[in-house]
Structures are given as C-alpha cells and as structure tokens.
Amino acid sequence: MTSLDDMASDWGSYQGLKTVSVSDQFKHASIQRQREMLPIYRHRDSITYLIESTQVVILIGHTGSGKSTQLTQYLHEDGWTKDGKIIGCTQPRRVAATSVAQRVAEEIGCRIGETVGYSIRFEDTTTEKTVIKYLTDGMLLRELMIDPLLRRYSVIMIDEAHERTIYTDILLCVLKKVIKKRKDLRLVISSATIQAHEFAKFFGDKSQIISIEGKMFPIDVLYLSEPAENYIEKTIQTIFDIHIEEPDGDILAFMTGREEITKVLQAVKDRSFHDESSVRLLPLPLYSGLSQDEQNAIFDPTPPNTRKVIIATNIAEASVTVDGVIYVIDCGYVKVRTFDPATKIDSLIVTPISKASAVQRAGRAGRTRPGKCFRIYTETCANELDEVSSPEIQRSNLAMPILQIKSLGIDNIAKLDFVTPPPVNLVINALELLYSLKALDDYAKLTIPDGLRMAELPLNPMLSKVLLASASYGCTEEILTIAAMLTVENVFYKPRDEVKAADAEHRKFTVEEGDGLSLYNVYQEFVRSKKSSKWAYDRYLNNKSLVKAVSVRNQLVRYLQKLEVNVIKSSVPATADIVRKCLTLGYFSQAARMQPDGSYKLVAAQDVTVWPHPSSVMFNRIADWVIFTEIVEVNDKIYILGITTIERDWLLELAPDYYKVKRR
Ligand code: CDP
Ligand code: MG
C-alpha cells in the first residue's frame, strides 16, 4: 500500500528528527532492532498481504512472537490509518490493554494518547491523534452501541480470542454481522492453535488461517511424585530450590490470585533476607489492579547478580510476556468466574487448569533458551485435566451482556449466531433479573428510558438501577459516591505488621449500616482533607484508589447528564435509611439473613451458607437482614462483600414480583 503520500510523510518525520537528542536516537535504534528480532517480523509481508485480500484473518503464533505489539504498527505503517481511520486491538484484560499500549507507544516514540492510546472502563486515554487503539473487549462492545458499524475502524484485531471471554464471544458474533455490511473492514483474530479451526469454521469462506508458529526451545517438564499438601508452600519452596540449584534465569510462578501472590511475595522477601547466596532474589507481583509503576517494574531488565521471581496470575499465561524467564512454576490452578443460575451465586472459584493452559504455561519457559517447568501436581493429575477450559459465555451471569446486546437492537438472543451458544438456563436467568429490575418489559424488550440507560451506564445492571433510582429518592449525591467507591478496589490498606493501628484508623469511618455507607464516609473525609495523600496515608487508606474514585464519580456524573436523568437536588443530605432503601432497589436479589453463629443464609437459595468477608466492615458484627454487592467462594467457603443492613419488609415492598413466591 506504499504510495507517494506515504513517502511524503516519511520525509516529514525525518526532518523532525533533527530536534531529537543523540541518546534518544540510539535508544530508538535498539528498539527497532528488537522489533526486527521478533518471530512475526519474518512473516510481515505474508500477514499484511493476507489482510489486504481476506476479510477475516486468523493468526496463530506463540506467545511473545509479537502479535499484539507489532501487527498494529505494521498496519499503521502500511497506510491502514489514512483518511481518519483507526486500528483497534481488543484485549480480554485491562492490564494487557494498558501494558501493550505502553510498549507500543515506547516503540513508536510517542506518549500514550498520541499515536497510541488505550481505553478501558473509566479510563479512556485516546485523543483525536490516536490511530492505534488498544481496548478491552468490553469497551469495543460499548463502542458498538454508539456506532453499530464501527465506521472509524479500518482493522479490528480480536486478540487472545482463544481465551473465549464472554465479550470476545459476543464481539465475534456481532462483528460477523458487521463485516457483511462493511466490506472494507478487516478482522484479525489472534488465537492459540487449539481454537483456530473453530474460528475458521465460524467465519466460513470469508476467513483464512495463517500460522507464524516457529520453533520453541525444549522445555523440561517436571512433576511432583506425591500431590502437594499446600501448593502455595510448595511453590515457595520450589522457588528457593531453583534459586539454589539451577543456573541463572528468571522464575515465573503462577498463582490464582492477589492474596496468594502477596503471601508468596512476602515469604520470598522474608526468607531471602537470610539467604547468603551472591545472587539476589527480586520478587515482583503481576496481577490486574497493579499500578502502572508496579507493572513497569516487571518489564525492566533484570539488574546484575539478580534473579527475578515474577509471581503472577493467569495474566502471564498469554496476555503479558516477560522476557528472560527460564523457569516456570505452575500451581495447576486458576481462578475462574462461574455463575450458578440455581443459587444465583456469581463466584470466583479456584479450579484446576486445562491441558491447553498447562502447555501454555510451560511454554513461557522456552522463549529465549531451553527452560524448565515445575508442575506442582502429579503426572496422573495432569493427565486427568480437561482439554480446554469452557468458554465464559457458558458459565457467566449474562444480565449485562444481554442488556447490551438488546441495546444494539438485537432482540432475539436465541437467533444470534454464537461460536458456542450460551445455555438456555443462563439466558432465562438473565432475562428474569433484567425484568425484575424493570430493564425489560413484559415482551422482553428494552424499556425506554430506564433499560436503555442501564445498558449505557458502565456499571452492572443492579448498580445502574440503584443509581437511576436515586434520582427520585433524592440521594443521588450519596449513591454516586458509593457506586464510585464500590467500583475501585482496596480502599482500606492493612500492612501486615500494623494491622491493629490500621484497624483502629479504619474503625473511625465504619458505621453499623455496612460497607456502602462506611465507604461513603471515607470519601467525604478524603474530599474534606482536600484530597491529601498524606491524610490518606496516615489513615491507612489507599490514596490511588481514592483518587480513582473521584475520577469515576465525575465520569458517572457526566453519564447521568448525558443520559438526561432528572436528578432531584435536595439541600440536606439523604438519611441513611433512604440510601439503604435505594441500594435495596437494585440488590434485592442478593439478600441474606444472619444466623446465630454469625453466618448468613441466602434468601434466594436458603440452603447456602455464606460468611461476611474479613475485608467487610460487617465482619464480626451483628446484623439481621442484609444485601450484598459481591459474592466469592474461596476454599469451599462462600464470602459476601459490600454488605448493607436492610429491613425485611423492604424486600417485599421494593421487589414484590421477585419475592411473591416466598411471601405465600
Ligand atoms: O502478542 P504476542 O504474545 O505474540 O507478543 P507481544 O505481546 O507483541 O510481545 C512481543 C515482545 O514485546 C515481547 O517478547 C516483549 O519482549 C515485548 N514486550 C514488552 O517489552 N513489554 C510489553 N508490555 C509487551 C511486550
Ligand atoms: Mg499478545
């Protein structure tokens, strides 16, 4: 696609170079060299040619071959961003969207928001200059709501499609319709080998597969001879065994979540303090929700005489590549979100990984030279693993996705062409919830304006309902704050050796009505302190989360304005009762009642016992009826979070349809 126009613009940028300092030029050259060394580079012409001639290209390549960071740049260089068009690349995870964008900006030599930007929920860094846009798959679905044919895009790359997140699956289904109307639009589906044919079958003769899989270095896979009693302890021990016995090379250990990662991290720090070897262990965490700085530390080159130990969630399985890893420790588990339509519990459950995942994890060790993978499970266990994990669409709460699909004007979900259709009971469950929230009418059509507004608000339907209802309850100011604070994570901060002091500070904000109103107090005081980071620090509050909450709240205010929600302004703050009632209006389906032993029974599934999560202000507090915003299952114990006390009668008053069966 090279033309005289391109050459003219090359000349323009060459002239611009004069202002760049000498050291900058050298840095740039080395980045160019790195780009050329990536496996995808040799396939550049064949891939870009295929994209010109075929509407859907399915791209297979090992992790780290350069798919996510390079292809968008090739397409940009080849002219796919002329005439105001842009290239989009979706990622299943927020961390991947931000870190890949960061890397590409660095390679191009621009700041985020210039040529390259990313857009994730509550954080859009793109500007009118941006032509390479990384975004989460969920965000692209939101863009479809505004521009159903995605006219601004010339190419859309659905990255990590084999992960089969719910939004990736929905995008594939909607984009299949879009490309019929937009013959000039190109799709690139990046996938692991194992799923590629399924995608090819789905897109039919419009699609072609191209593989850039090269050789990998051999990986020595080792198993435990006996099952581990505790895979966290075993992982810690294995880290030190590798450190003592194996030659240099960084370690990547897979854990299931932030808590486990923190545990391992702390243990490595503590024990390596007494370690006398000349090579230092440098433990680093990697999970979603890390700050940009913490994330960047992982990509910094390993300092001399140091061995990096990256302790990561499943993010490191494919979405994020870290160079220099020679040793992989695979605990064999992953946290997956699973929704049970019978109990209506949406939980994060630690489950065994699939064979495909195990292979992928091991593969992280053989990128630059032969490596080793230590599996913290037996070979017998490995043979019993499922081949692939089930697509998210088959085990998720579909309320939000269905609401969004409906707002795209697609009314009959059953008629949609999915790669794998969602199970009927999940669809019915979602329709029931949406109906009880009055987002859908008796004919399962989106209600105007409320259903439509709920689809557009970037909150789950229950919280959207609360926010919209707050307008007539006269508590919008309070609910905006609570919604923002519920959206950000880890507001309360408890250093391990200062738990008591932290608890004492935190108690000053907590009220017996529960988490929502306690978080509200924190926010109010933070604003009163003029958003002082010192104020937050002294009170063991996470300043970053609070700053983020301020930003989220402002964005929600703008949404309400855009959606023309008529907010009743009252001169006095709403009472706690009004706020709690308003919360019940959205979360009535997640109600529970306390038992004498301090546990709770769910109203929707009476045989299920749940416990207040230790991070909730309701932990070790007496209550009667409550609602909660989240439920998680950890080690066979189910915890509820975001708890607010309510009155039993409110459930019957505010959700008579939902509770009519129980009233009889
Ligand atoms: O998408 P794929 O797994 O094929 O590879 P990629 O994410 O494009 O990564 C290609 C290379 O870019 C990696 O090997 C890393 O060296 C580098 N990279 C980086 O340094 N920092 C990032 N945030 C992402 C990639
Ligand atoms: Mg990638």
Side-chain angles (χ1 to χ4, degrees), residues 493-504 537 540:
Y493 163 71
K494 262 189 221 182
R496 215 167 46 126
D497 35 12
E498 291 168 62
V499 173
K500 272 213 176 110
D503 276 340
Y537 182 84
Y540 299 91

Side-chain angles (χ1 to χ4, degrees), residues 69-83:
T69 55
Q70 302 307 304
L71 191 56
T72 51
Q73 296 186 69
Y74 298 164
L75 294 167
H76 173 48
E77 289 158 6
D78 285 359
W80 286 90
T81 48
K82 281 192 305 199
D83 312 325

Side-chain angles (χ1 to χ4, degrees), residues 34 38 61-70 99-100 103 107 159-160 299 318-321 323 367:
Q34 282 177 38
L38 288 169
H62 289 306
T63 314
S65 44
K67 301 179 298 295
S68 312
T69 55
Q70 302 307 304
S99 83
V100 173
R103 169 72 187 179
E107 291 185 7
D159 210 350
E160 310 279 346
F299 298 109
S319 309
V320 176
T321 292
D323 289 327
R367 291 193 50 246

Side-chain angles (χ1 to χ4, degrees), residues 257-292:
R258 196 169 58 93
E259 277 165 35
E260 288 179 10
I261 291 176
T262 313
K263 228 184 215 169
V264 176
L265 200 73
Q266 197 57 49
V268 173
K269 272 186 195 159
D270 291 351
R271 290 191 211 172
S272 55
F273 189 67
H274 307 286
D275 175 23
E276 287 175 0
S277 70
S278 55
V279 177
R280 205 167 62 93
L281 271 181
L282 176 63
L284 298 166
L286 174 58
Y287 52 83
S288 51
L290 280 183
S291 72
Q292 206 66 53

Side-chain angles (χ1 to χ4, degrees), residues 221-370:
V221 177
L222 298 126
Y223 295 95
L224 285 184
S225 42
E226 294 288 321
E229 241 168 60
N230 176 332
Y231 64 77
I232 303 175
E233 272 308 312
K234 191 72 195 165
T235 299
I236 299 167
Q237 190 201 323
T238 309
I239 291 174
F240 283 95
D241 290 349
I242 295 172
H243 186 47
I244 293 161
E245 292 163 27
E246 299 284 343
D248 69 334
D250 296 339
I251 303 171
L252 170 64
F254 286 96
M255 286 286 116
T256 70
R258 196 169 58 93
E259 277 165 35
E260 288 179 10
I261 291 176
T262 313
K263 228 184 215 169
V264 176
L265 200 73
Q266 197 57 49
V268 173
K269 272 186 195 159
D270 291 351
R271 290 191 211 172
S272 55
F273 189 67
H274 307 286
D275 175 23
E276 287 175 0
S277 70
S278 55
V279 177
R280 205 167 62 93
L281 271 181
L282 176 63
L284 298 166
L286 174 58
Y287 52 83
S288 51
L290 280 183
S291 72
Q292 206 66 53
D293 290 346
E294 288 170 306
Q295 241 179 69
N296 290 343
I298 294 160
F299 298 109
D300 289 343
T302 312
N305 291 324
T306 309
R307 195 201 286 273
K308 261 197 231 169
V309 187
I310 296 146
I311 306 148
T313 56
N314 216 32
I315 293 176
E317 191 178 296
S319 309
V320 176
T321 292
V322 189
D323 289 327
V325 171
I326 306 295
Y327 307 102
V328 163
I329 304 173
D330 170 14
C331 73
Y333 289 96
V334 64
K335 221 180 236 175
V336 291
R337 198 170 268 288
T338 309
F339 179 73
D340 180 348
T343 57
K344 314 233 182 299
I345 297 177
D346 190 7
S347 53
L348 277 170
I349 299 176
V350 174
T351 36
I353 57 171
S354 64
K355 281 183 188 152
S357 274
V359 170
Q360 179 68 27
R361 286 181 176 189
R364 311 308 278 145
R367 291 193 50 246
T368 41
R369 61 177 215 227

Side-chain angles (χ1 to χ4, degrees), residues 84-95:
K85 289 273 196 271
I86 64 171
I87 296 162
C89 178
T90 68
Q91 296 291 330
R93 296 192 179 83
R94 275 185 279 176
V95 200

